[in-house]
Amino acid sequence: MNSLWLSDEILKNIDTKRELTENITTDVCIIGAGILGLTCGYYLSKLGYKVAILEKDTIASKATGHTTGKITSQHSLFYDYLTNSYGEKFAKDYLDVNEEAIQNIKNIIDEENINCDFKYQNSYVYTIKKDELATIKKEYKAVSNLGYNCELVTKTGLPFDIAGAICFKNQAEFNPIKYLAGLCKCITNRNGEIYINTTAVDVKMDDSDYITYANNHIIKSKYVIIATHYPFLNFPGFYFTKMYQSTSYLIAVDTKKTLFKGMHISAGVPTLSFRTALYSNKEILLIGGMDHKTGQSSSYKDTYGKLEEVAKKYYPNSDILFRWNTRDCISLDKLPYIGTYSTGTPNMFVGTGFKKWGMTLSNVAANIIVDKICGNYNKYEYLFKSTRLKPIKNHDEFKNMLVQSTNSLLLNKLKRPQMSFYEIANNSGSIIEVNGQKVGIYKDANGKIYAVKPICTHLGCLLSWNDIDKTWDCPCHGSRFNYDGTNLYDPAFKNLDTYDL
Ligand SMILES: Cc1cc2nc3c(=O)[nH]c(=O)nc-3n(C[C@H](O)[C@H](O)[C@H](O)COP(=O)(O)OP(=O)(O)OC[C@H]3O[C@@H](n4cnc5c(N)ncnc54)[C@H](O)[C@@H]3O)c2cc1C
C-alpha cells in the first residue's frame, strides 16, 4: 500500500519529537499532520504563534501521502453544478479561491525554497464518449460565464482518442511529500513542535482555554484545529451525519516511453485520472481512479486490475512500480466544511470534506482558519461554513448513507454469517458466528489465525472484510483496521477488541 511519494525517505530527516511524553502549553494545538495541519502550522508559526502538531501515526502517512498531487481549481465537472445550486457569484468565488490557492502554494515554494518538483501543467476533464460531450459543453459554458478563460478541445496528448475535453491552463502538479517536508522544516525552524505517534482522544473546554488529551497527557491551548481528515470528535459537530468516504486506487508505471503533457481526468464513471511524475530522475506515469464508497467490497480485478489493463493497453512494455489507495471525505452537498467546529466551540476549528481536491482546498481552509484566529475577515469563508444547517442537496447519497448505516448498525448484525470457520481459505477473511457472537477471522498465508470483534470503535457499525488490503473497513463512515485489529484510518482512533484462539 506504500505510495510513490512515501517511498522517498525525505521525511525521516525531519526534526519531529517522537511522541508526547509530558503536559505542554501552546498557543495553537493542531491535531493531524497531513497537508491541512501542516499548512495551518506553517502560516501560524510564520505569524509568530507557538504551535504544537499532534500526529497519530507519522507525518503525511494517510490521505496526503497517497494522493495524486494535482493542484488545480478544476475539480472534475463542478462549476455547472455550483452555478445551478448556489448561483454565479458563489461559483465564481469558489473558482477564484482555488486559483488563489495554486498561487499561494507556489509562493510558499518560492519563498521557502522548497524543491518539490512543482510544475505548471494544463488540466483537462475529457470524455471518450460522444453522448457525454453535452456535459462537457455545459461545464465549459458555466466556467466561461464566470469570466474564466478555459478551452474546449478535441486533442489532449493522451494516447487515445477523445470526443472532447475542457482545459484549464496554468494549473500545477508537485510531489506532495517533498512539499510537506519543506513545510515541516519551516515549522520546526520557527519553534513549532511536531509530535508523532501521538493520538488525540478528546478535547474539552476549560474557561477560555482548550485541553486536548493525548497519550495520557494534556495540551493546554487557546486554539485547537481539528485537521484529522474525518473529524474524530463526534459531539459536538455531528460530522458523521454529513459525510461519507470514497476510496480510489493508483498505480505508478514505468512505460519506457515518452509521455504526454498535462493532467487528465475522465468526466464519467469509472473515473480514470492521469498525470506524469518524477521517480529516480525518470518520468513515469500515474493512473488513478476506480473509486467506490469506502467499506463496500471490491476486488483486485476491479481496482488495480483495471488500472493495470489501461497501462498495458497503451504501454505494452510497461512495468508497474507502485500500487496504493486512499480515501477522502465527501459531504452531502459536495462542499467542504471549513471554519468553527461547532457553534458552541468558538476557538476550535475544522477543515474536512475536500472530496479528493484537498491540495488547493487545504490551502483555502488554512487561510480561512488562520484569518479566524487572527480576527481577520475572509471573503470566502461563507462558501464553506462548517456550521451550515442545510447540507442535504445530494438526496440520493443521503438515502444511501441512511440505508448503509441502518444495515451496518442493525440489520446486518442480526443476519447469520454465511461462512463457517473451516470454509475460510488461507490469506482471506470473513465474519463467522461463535456462540451467537460475530467474530472477524483472518487466516494468513501460513494459516495463522487472527480474530477480532468486527464492530467499529467509532460508532458501532458492523465492519466488512477488504480482501485487497487485508483490512476490516467500516461501510458507514470509512474507518479502517488492519487484520489484527490495529486502527489504521479515522474517524475511529481505537483498535478493535481481539480474541485469543
Ligand atoms: C486516491 C486519491 C487521490 C487524490 N488526488 C488528489 C489530487 O490529485 N489533488 C487534490 O487536490 N486532492 C487529491 N486528493 C485529496 C487529498 O489527497 C486530500 O483531500 C488531502 O490529502 C486531505 O488532507 P488532510 O490533511 O485533510 O488529511 P490527511 O492527509 O489524512 O491528514 C490527517 C492526519 O490526521 C491524523 N490523525 C487522524 N486522527 C488523529 C488523532 N485522533 N490524533 C492525531 N492525529 C490524527 C492522521 O494520521 C493523518 O496523518 C486525492 C484523494 C484520494 C483519495
Side-chain angles (χ1 to χ4, degrees), residues 31-37 54-58 60-64 66-70 198-200 227-229 232 246 248 250 326-328 354 356-360 490 493:
I31 309 176
I35 191 166
L36 174 61
L54 315 182
E55 168 53 50
K56 174 166 91 166
D57 203 321
T58 51
S61 53
K62 298 293 160 53
T64 308
H66 296 84
T67 183
T68 318
K70 297 177 179 175
T198 299
T199 305
T228 53
H229 184 250
F232 78 104
S246 168
S248 317
L250 277 143
T326 190
R327 75 287 171 260
D328 210 6
F354 297 152
K356 303 190 188 173
W357 297 109
M359 299 301 104
T360 53
D490 45 86
F493 53 84

Side-chain angles (χ1 to χ4, degrees), residues 385-436:
K385 208 162 178 254
S386 42
T387 49
R388 63 186 181 268
L389 287 172
K390 285 188 183 163
I392 304 163
K393 290 260 175 199
N394 186 345
H395 292 276
D396 285 349
E397 194 46 56
F398 183 62
K399 238 172 39 204
N400 271 347
M401 253 178 82
L402 279 185
V403 170
Q404 195 74 64
S405 301
T406 315
N407 281 344
S408 304
L409 277 167
L410 289 169
L411 302 181
N412 289 349
K413 285 186 185 167
L414 300 174
K415 279 191 195 150
R416 286 195 73 127
Q418 300 296 309
M419 270 283 185
S420 79
F421 178 82
Y422 297 102
E423 285 170 308
I424 302 172
N426 283 3
N427 211 18
S428 60
S430 185
I431 293 178
I432 60 163
E433 202 161 275
V434 179
N435 297 332

Side-chain angles (χ1 to χ4, degrees), residues 9 16 76 103 161 189 233-234 236 346 399 407 416 429 434 481:
E9 305 251 297
T16 49
S76 302
Q103 195 51 48
D161 289 337
N189 286 345
L233 295 173
N234 294 322
K399 238 172 39 204
N407 281 344
R416 286 195 73 127
V434 179
F481 304 84

Side-chain angles (χ1 to χ4, degrees), residues 42 100 102-112:
Y42 168 78
E100 281 176 27
I102 302 173
Q103 195 51 48
N104 292 340
I105 292 171
K106 178 74 168 81
N107 291 346
I108 295 175
I109 291 168
D110 289 345
E111 204 175 310
E112 307 294 350

Side-chain angles (χ1 to χ4, degrees), residues 408-409 413 455-462:
S408 304
L409 277 167
K413 285 186 185 167
I455 302 295
C456 185
T457 54
H458 173 228
L459 283 172
C461 291
L462 185 68

